Amino acid sequence: MTFGFQLHQGTVNGPRLGTLTTPHGAVSTPTFMPVATRGMLRGPWPDRLRPMGVEMMLANSFHLFARPGVESIEAMGGLHKMMAWDGPVLTDSGGFQAFSLASISKLNDDGWKIAHPVHGAMVDWTPKMAFEVQASLRPDVAMILDECPAEPRDRTKVAAAVKRTLRWAKMQRDMHDARGGVDSGQAQFGIVQGGVFEDLRQECARELSAMEFDGYAIGGVSVGEGHDAMMDGVRHSTSDLPKEKARYLMGVGTPLDLVESVARGIDMFDCVYPTRCGRYGTFLSDEGNQHIHNARFKNDPLPLLPGCTCDACATGVPRGALRAGLKEREMLPASLLAHHNLHYLVNLMKQMRSAIADGSFEDLRARINAVYRPPKP
Ligand SMILES: [Zn+2]
């Protein structure tokens, strides 16, 4: 089988255990994909990912198209070779970049006109373009180009985004079929939009389900709406998705967002959170987020997190040295903190899978909530 999803345990909207089968190997779900936007992670080395437990990575088709470009990637031997990663890869379609680069992009019914991040000329980033670039990059999973509405609470704008996303989805689904579907060596996921509106998310999920995508993503969450609204968005999206297909929540998360989304039936995640936090001096622990800039670490001879089995903590570089180095913008502390954070989240996913299997998921969920849920004001 070139691509498939087997659900081993779980329900439509509860914690699930599954296996994603891809041309580059199997992935145990729920899983966390580290974000290598331009084919590389900000910090962790590619050969340290497997030992850490990473099973699938994410890259971004729009940024790769901009640099180094599809031709260069092909000349290097393809996307997996370029990433020095022989496991499964998912590429995002650039829809979120059009949203996040709103100041240099313009939306119309045919797609986005967006300034090329390298030379500035306007590029027509259309559903056809996003599809073809991803077909050339050959990730294991390609995402459809969608419209992520900039204002998730503006019903008129969100309804228009859902309409456009569905129309583009159908176009790209037809292109995927014409290319042989999963037999082309690539799966294609649809993306549910709908902002904070339950009926719009349900409608979008129903329409996409009828198109029979290989898997489904939930987009347009984690755009500043807050944890509770985000979880409502997840619930409103999953209720109308088929149980037997993989569900991927885009751009999430933090330990709390991950455990609460797994509790609501999500199988896959990606986020820059662990590497970005590391660059700013935040490291994850069972006592919550800690900040290396805190004065109490100034003379601290201990490694980042005593007892942690990750490569970064194993180096033994003391907290005091990491703090001083980060303040002077040395590269090593940012890299070590990013590595530790990614290891922490990948390990959390592993703990969640074990806990679902042995029936103790609610205990783990309560533990993460106790540490990571911000106190009510
Ligand atoms: Zn560590």
Side-chain angles (χ1 to χ4, degrees):
M1 187 192 288
T2 52
F3 182 86
F5 180 70
Q6 294 81 44
L7 185 63
H8 307 307
Q9 190 180 322
T11 58
V12 183
N13 297 318
R16 296 145 51 100
L17 277 181
T19 303
L20 194 68
T21 311
T22 79
H24 287 85
V27 180
S28 301
T29 63
T31 193
F32 181 83
M33 300 178 283
V35 178
T37 301
R38 295 174 181 82
M40 45 191 74
L41 292 180
R42 294 194 164 178
W45 292 23
D47 68 336
R48 304 318 300 154
L49 300 176
R50 282 273 186 213
M52 191 194 287
V54 171
E55 291 188 320
M56 187 164 188
M57 288 182 68
L58 178 139
N60 187 282
S61 60
F62 178 72
H63 283 292
L64 289 169
F65 157 83
R67 182 141 58 197
V70 173
E71 271 181 32
S72 286
I73 293 169
E74 284 174 343
M76 285 184 258
L79 179 61
H80 290 80
K81 181 84 189 303
M82 177 203 165
M83 293 171 73
W85 168 253
D86 61 4
V89 175
L90 177 148
T91 51
D92 196 3
S93 60
F96 187 76
Q97 279 59 45
F99 158 80
S100 61
L101 304 173
S103 59
I104 55 164
S105 67
K106 223 175 155 59
L107 175 71
N108 60 51
D109 274 343
D110 297 327
W112 299 90
K113 277 200 185 300
I114 184 163
H116 194 289
V118 177
H119 51 64
M122 294 309 277
V123 176
D124 285 316
W125 192 253
T126 60
K128 184 166 184 283
M129 185 80 161
F131 179 86
E132 287 176 351
V133 165
Q134 292 183 91
S136 301
L137 291 174
R138 287 181 281 126
D140 301 80
V141 178
M143 302 304 300
I144 61 157
L145 183 65
D146 60 335
E147 183 194 338
C148 178
E151 292 160 53
R153 294 178 194 281
D154 182 326
R155 189 176 173 96
T156 308
K157 287 184 180 162
V158 173
V162 166
K163 207 170 153 201
R164 200 175 270 132
T165 293
L166 287 171
R167 194 166 58 78
W168 290 357
K170 177 75 173 77
M171 290 163 64
Q172 293 167 94
R173 182 71 187 83
D174 289 346
M175 290 178 221
H176 181 51
D177 259 352
R179 198 168 162 254
V182 290
D183 292 336
S184 66
Q186 192 171 89
Q188 185 188 51
F189 282 18
I191 304 177
V192 180
Q193 292 290 351
V196 300
F197 302 101
E198 180 172 4
D199 60 324
L200 294 180
R201 284 212 171 259
Q202 286 172 340
E203 178 198 334
C204 193
R206 271 198 302 275
E207 297 272 334
L208 289 172
S209 301
M211 294 181 208
E212 298 188 354
F213 281 92
D214 306 316
Y216 296 89
I218 299 166
V221 294
S222 196
V223 290
E225 73 278 45
H227 175 80
D228 292 340
M230 186 199 299
M231 290 305 123
D232 286 343
V234 169
R235 188 164 50 83
H236 300 153
S237 304
T238 51
S239 55
D240 285 84
L241 291 176
K243 179 188 172 186
E244 69 283 0
K245 298 276 178 80
R247 291 97 168 265
Y248 157 37
L249 182 60
M250 307 180 81
V252 168
T254 66
L256 180 67
D257 293 344
L258 290 171
V259 78
E260 285 304 311
S261 305
V262 166
R264 290 166 174 80
I266 301 295
D267 308 304
M268 303 164 68
F269 302 90
D270 80 283
C271 198
V272 296
Y273 180 76
T275 45
R276 180 172 288 168
C277 272
R279 286 201 301 286
Y280 290 105
T282 297
F283 63 100
L284 305 176
S285 81
D286 289 345
E287 280 75 52
N289 284 352
Q290 304 204 49
H291 307 287
I292 199 73
H293 290 296
N294 194 305
R296 72 191 164 97
F297 294 125
K298 186 168 185 289
N299 301 322
D300 197 331
L302 293 172
L304 191 57
L305 190 63
C308 174
T309 57
C310 88
D311 290 344
C313 292
T315 62
V317 177
R319 289 166 164 176
L322 293 168
R323 179 176 183 271
L326 204 63
K327 283 187 182 298
E328 293 300 331
R329 303 208 176 143
E330 291 285 350
M331 290 164 74
L332 187 64
S335 177
L336 292 178
L337 264 69
H339 183 102
H340 165 84
N341 287 342
L342 181 56
H343 175 272
Y344 188 90
L345 286 191
V346 170
N347 196 46
L348 176 61
M349 300 312 294
K350 210 184 291 173
Q351 289 175 41
M352 282 197 237
R353 293 196 297 271
S354 303
I356 297 169
D358 69 20
S360 63
F361 179 78
E362 287 304 322
D363 296 340
L364 175 60
R365 182 182 181 185
R367 210 159 66 233
I368 295 292
N369 267 271
V371 174
Y372 278 97
R373 188 176 282 277
K376 288 233 182 316

